[in-house]
């Protein structure tokens, strides 16, 4: 079983979100980057569990600069066997996905996993794009994933319930909550990560289709209106007459 | 401009489908809908009221199979000469819009909250950083795809029923097979809910959720929870909202016994109105709230439920 897990960096979940350069750039001042939680907690950990029961190899891949090697080492410390970094600025989802697909095409993976989205761009784009570029089936936002021989069985949350689907490998899956539990790397893992192989690959010639031209912060909420806990009739009246939501 | 709107309609036309057609109408152009799913022709025809000029439907396509849906939409896009393809940002769109982007080499904008600005190129406002900020994305490619965040536009009727035509999407065979569907009875699905009652660790234990469910029932609301509550198994995972759970944008979000950590807010700050009930007047959630009640959930929730019942039983 050869598994490829795509990881992205994202700002730590407590980061203050601010912009510089006339609102054209994300302000990285004081921002700590982490492995995007969906990639780490769900895709990577479930990939490792599958590898541990079925045998095989788990490679992580990211598109980024040398500065992103801290997140690669973190993923290796959690248990990935080796890593690939495509040495390019991940300009947009299309650029990133096609780079990963180009690498994956020639390396025969049975399973390609990603998180369901990044917590900074929330696009849910890369996994489907990889699948299309490789002409593979794709299951989005899976909350469970089991492999039996060459068949994958997954659960997805649909409106009002759960759907169980099956597909044959090779397959691309984006992973959501429910799939696995977060793993904290131990000392041995951290030491081992230092010597695990990291291959740096030159990017393919790929164009980008979209660009963020500006950012902004939502308008501050007007001050909260406090209601007497013994007067819930007033709250209901405000929700009806003022807020008009009931 | 020729616009194609994709709609996935099992059982009924979701509100988000009407929103997507309304959105296309606001952009302006010749609007064709391409649909999958089991909704009948006469229901699909009502999409004309929201701006569709015709509906193409291929009921043989399996919506769970992103390759089939992608092939069908690509064929419809070609036959209608679509320059812009619109989705509602739901589970199917999350699997299909990205594929279609590669197939058509069309730049994809996900999570759009406004109509495109075409004054200088083609730029669309989207939610980023889990709702903590917004961004403007420009698309360079001639063909474009927009996945619209639900509850950003309300459906508006402007016309009358339109023709519905059977369409052969040439979708090929399905690689994904549904083996089981489990839909619990009587629950209001969280992502579609307009009213949501949510509770956190302040409820102290799963046995106390009755007062949350009573309020939800009185309002006709869905229930949600904070992450620790789902992690310790007090509530099912699909109720977990926040940065690492479901992101929701209801009209009303009532948060009881939730502190309002930044990761929680990220999933709910798109709500139109937020009510916070917390014993701690310093709880960070009050800063994000429209209405606040400093009080004990075990007293306030039953009182609020009674007030809602009283309100509901009198005509307005
Ligand atoms: C990477 C990361 C991702 C995360 N993602 C999420 C996420 O997606 N969603 C999420 O929710 N959290 C998330 N968290 C966790 C988040 O930081 C908070 O820990 C969590 O939201 C707190 O849940 P809570 O408000 O229920 O509990 P607490 O923080 O313990 O708050 C309980 C609140 O209840 C109040 N209270 C207590 N008793 C009563 C009473 N009787 N009546 C009224 N009020 C009472 C208290 O004053 C307190 O404000 C994430 C954390 C990290 C690090």
């Amino acid at each position: 079983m050869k598994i490829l897990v795509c990881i992205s960096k994202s700002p730590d979940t407590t980061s203050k979100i601010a912009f510089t350069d006339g609102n054209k750039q994300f302000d990285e001042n004081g921002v700590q980057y982490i492995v995007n939680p969906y990639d780490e907690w769900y895709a990577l950990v479930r990939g490792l569990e599958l590898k541990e029961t079925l045998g095989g190899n788990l490679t992580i891949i990211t598109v980024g600069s040398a500065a992103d090697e801290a997140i690669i080492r973190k993923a290796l410390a959690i248990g990935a066997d080796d890593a690939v970094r495509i040495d390019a600025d991940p300009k947009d989802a299309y650029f990133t996905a096609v780079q990963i697909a180009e690498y994956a095409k020639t390396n025969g993976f049975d399973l390609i996993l990603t998180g369901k989205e990044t917590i900074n761009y929330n696009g849910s784009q890369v996994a489907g794009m990889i699948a299309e570029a490789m002409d593979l089936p794709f299951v989005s936002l899976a909350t469970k994933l089991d492999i039996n021989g060459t068949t994958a069985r997954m659960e997805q949350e649909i409106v009002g319930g759960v759907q169980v689907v099956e597909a044959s490998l090779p397959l691309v899956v984006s992973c959501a909550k429910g799939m696995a539990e977060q793993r904290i790397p131990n000392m041995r893992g951290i030491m081992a990560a230092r010597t695990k192989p990291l291959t740096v690959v030159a990017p393919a010639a790929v164009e980008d289709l979209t660009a963020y031209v500006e950012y902004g912060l939502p308008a501050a909420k007007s001050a909260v209106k406090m209601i007497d806990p013994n007067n819930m009739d007033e709250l209901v009246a405000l929700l009806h007459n003022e807020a008009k939501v009931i | 401009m020729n616009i194609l709107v994709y709609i996935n309609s099992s059982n009924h036309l979701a509100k988000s489908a009407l929103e997507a057609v309304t959105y296309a109408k606001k952009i302006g152009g010749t609007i064709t809908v391409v649909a999958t799913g089991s909704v009948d022709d006469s229901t699909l025809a009502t999409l004309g009221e929201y701006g569709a000029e015709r509906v193409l439907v291929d009921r043989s396509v399996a919506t769970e199979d992103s390759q089939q849906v992608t092939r069908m939409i690509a064929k419809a896009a070609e036959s209608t000469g679509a320059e812009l393809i619109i989705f509602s940002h739901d589970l199917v769109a999350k699997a299909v819009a990205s594929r279609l982007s590669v197939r058509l080499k069309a730049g994809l904008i996900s999570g759009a909250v406004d109509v495109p600005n075409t004054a200088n190129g083609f730029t669309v406002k989207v939610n980023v950083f889990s709702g903590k900020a917004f961004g403007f994305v420009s698309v360079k490619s001639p063909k474009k795809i927009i996945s619209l965040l639900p509850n950003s536009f309300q459906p508006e009727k402007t016309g009358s029923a339109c023709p519905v035509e059977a369409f052969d999407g040439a979708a090929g065979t399905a690689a994904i097979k549904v083996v089981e569907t489990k839909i619990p009875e009587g629950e209001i699905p969280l992502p579609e809910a307009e009213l949501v009652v949510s509770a956190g660790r302040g409820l102290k234990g799963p046995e106390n959720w009755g007062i949350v469910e009573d309020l939800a029932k009185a309002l006709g609301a869905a229930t949600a929870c904070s992450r620790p509550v789902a992690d310790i198994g007090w509530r099912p995972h699909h109720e977990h909202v926040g940065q690492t759970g479901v992101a929701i944008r209801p009209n009303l979000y009532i948060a009881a016994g939730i502190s309002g950590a930044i990761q929680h807010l990220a999933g709910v700050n798109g709500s139109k109105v937020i009510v916070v009930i917390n014993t701690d007047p310093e709880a960070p959630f009050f800063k994000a709230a429209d209405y606040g009640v400093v009080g004990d959930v075990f007293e306030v929730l039953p009182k609020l439920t009674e007030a809602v019942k009283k309100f509901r039983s009198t005509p307005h």
Side-chain angles (χ1 to χ4, degrees):
Chain A
M1 183 82 176
K2 273 185 80 178
I3 304 173
L4 182 68
V5 177
C6 309
I7 63 169
S8 167
K9 68 172 180 183
S10 69
D12 177 56
T13 55
T14 55
S15 305
K16 187 174 173 320
I17 305 301
F19 302 98
T20 60
D21 187 19
N23 278 338
K24 286 190 173 59
Q25 294 289 330
F26 174 58
D27 185 358
E28 295 192 311
N29 221 325
V31 168
Q32 172 96 30
Y33 280 101
I34 58 170
V35 183
N36 179 47
Y38 292 111
D39 306 346
E40 178 191 320
W41 302 354
Y42 308 132
L44 175 58
V45 176
R46 187 63 194 140
L48 288 170
E49 290 169 355
L50 289 171
K51 186 201 97 164
E52 285 155 8
T53 48
L54 303 170
N57 188 79
L58 188 146
T59 302
I60 51 155
I61 188 165
T62 193
V63 179
S65 70
D68 299 339
E69 285 185 10
I71 65 150
I72 294 175
R73 293 293 166 202
K74 170 89 187 276
L76 290 170
I78 294 171
D81 296 300
D82 47 56
V84 174
R85 178 170 69 80
I86 297 176
D87 190 21
D89 172 27
K91 285 184 213 141
D92 73 346
Y94 178 87
F95 175 90
T96 305
V98 177
Q99 295 293 349
I100 293 172
E102 285 300 316
Y103 175 82
K105 270 177 196 167
T106 54
N107 285 277
F109 294 100
D110 302 296
L111 190 59
I112 300 178
L113 303 178
T114 75
K116 76 161 188 181
E117 63 186 38
T118 61
I119 61 168
N120 35 354
Y121 290 106
N122 312 105
S124 253
Q125 297 189 2
V126 169
M129 289 177 174
I130 294 172
E132 185 66 20
M134 298 180 71
D135 200 18
L136 289 178
F138 167 48
V139 172
S140 62
L141 279 62
T143 55
K144 280 213 169 73
L145 163 63
D146 288 298
I147 307 283
N148 188 350
T150 57
T151 304
R153 190 183 178 94
M154 288 141 289
E155 291 193 3
Q156 290 174 292
E157 270 166 24
I158 54 172
V159 172
V162 172
Q163 164 174 292
V164 185
V165 297
E166 279 184 0
S168 296
L169 303 180
L171 177 70
V172 181
V173 182
S174 79
C175 304
K177 180 168 181 156
M179 194 164 266
E181 299 289 334
Q182 184 181 10
R183 274 192 195 181
I184 311 291
N186 58 24
M187 208 53 211
R188 245 182 74 222
I190 295 168
M191 297 301 286
R194 293 187 188 159
T195 53
K196 285 180 178 172
L198 162 60
T199 313
V200 178
V201 176
V206 178
E207 59 198 295
D208 51 320
L209 305 178
T210 60
Y212 277 86
V213 290
E214 203 187 327
Y215 297 93
L217 296 173
K221 276 247 173 195
S222 52
V224 48
K225 209 174 245 184
M226 299 309 290
I227 317 286
D228 179 347
N230 291 310
N231 195 354
M232 287 302 100
D233 289 330
E234 186 195 348
L235 177 58
V236 170
L238 285 168
L239 292 176
H240 178 63
N241 299 323
E242 187 179 75
K244 298 188 168 40
V245 289
I246 61 170
Chain B
M1 179 158 55
N2 289 319
I3 304 179
L4 186 66
V5 181
Y6 169 67
I7 278 173
N8 152 39
S9 57
S10 44
N11 314 322
H12 70 294
L13 282 179
K15 177 168 167 266
S16 55
L18 311 180
E19 291 171 11
V21 178
T22 301
Y23 179 74
K25 176 77 183 166
K26 284 193 186 297
I27 294 171
T30 305
I31 301 162
T32 307
V33 169
V34 58
T36 54
S38 51
V39 168
D40 61 21
D41 281 7
S42 60
T43 309
L44 287 175
T46 62
L47 290 169
E49 296 168 12
Y50 301 88
E53 295 193 8
R54 78 194 161 116
V55 178
L56 308 174
V57 57
D58 186 345
R59 294 195 176 86
S60 71
V61 169
T63 48
E64 62 277 4
D65 190 283
S66 55
Q67 283 174 298
Q68 279 206 322
V69 183
T70 303
R71 289 181 201 120
M72 178 200 70
I73 301 176
K75 189 179 167 204
E78 201 191 312
S79 71
T80 58
E83 296 138 90
L84 175 63
I85 299 146
I86 294 172
F87 292 82
S88 175
H89 200 45
D90 62 9
L91 182 71
V92 177
K94 284 175 184 174
V96 174
S98 49
R99 296 198 80 113
L100 193 67
S101 169
V102 170
R103 179 164 284 239
L104 302 181
K105 239 187 181 196
L108 167 60
I109 297 179
S110 349
V113 294
D114 205 348
V115 292
N117 179 344
T118 51
N120 183 10
F122 189 97
T123 314
V124 183
K125 185 177 179 180
V126 299
N127 255 14
V128 286
F129 293 98
S130 306
K132 290 181 217 168
F134 55 84
F136 292 92
V137 186
S138 78
V139 186
K140 304 169 187 174
S141 53
K143 285 189 192 131
K144 298 161 178 80
I145 305 172
I146 297 178
S147 194
L148 174 69
L149 215 57
N151 218 6
S152 301
F153 285 85
Q154 294 313 306
E156 274 173 34
K157 288 191 185 183
T158 46
S160 54
C162 68
V164 178
E165 297 160 30
F167 179 69
D168 176 7
T173 51
I176 313 271
K177 183 167 93 224
V178 175
V179 290
E180 198 185 340
T181 308
K182 308 175 223 175
I183 305 219
E185 292 287 319
E187 275 179 40
I188 297 178
L190 188 55
E192 283 206 336
E194 299 199 341
L195 309 175
V196 174
V197 180
S198 185
R201 278 216 300 229
L203 266 283
K204 313 270 192 294
E207 66 282 5
N208 298 328
W209 244 262
I211 53 172
V212 178
E213 283 163 354
D214 287 346
L215 176 59
K217 217 165 140 213
L219 280 168
T223 49
C225 69
S226 67
R227 175 172 159 221
V229 162
D231 282 355
I232 40 188
W234 293 0
R235 299 299 291 175
H237 281 312
H238 68 252
E239 284 198 1
H240 159 195
V241 292
Q243 191 154 16
T244 50
V246 188
I248 54 172
R249 316 179 77 220
N251 290 336
L252 174 63
Y253 184 74
I254 300 180
I258 302 176
S259 56
I262 188 163
Q263 299 93 352
H264 184 85
L265 295 181
V268 302
N269 55 12
S271 311
K272 292 225 165 69
V273 173
I274 295 179
V275 174
V276 169
I277 304 165
N278 200 305
T279 40
D280 175 9
E282 302 297 320
F285 220 145
F286 284 116
K287 288 205 180 68
D290 299 278
Y291 301 102
V293 181
V294 176
D296 188 332
V297 287
F298 297 100
E299 291 165 19
V300 175
L301 282 180
K303 281 186 189 153
L304 180 53
T305 304
E306 280 320 303
V308 168
K309 282 186 182 159
K310 203 164 88 191
F311 168 80
R312 288 279 199 235
S313 64
T314 48
H316 295 279

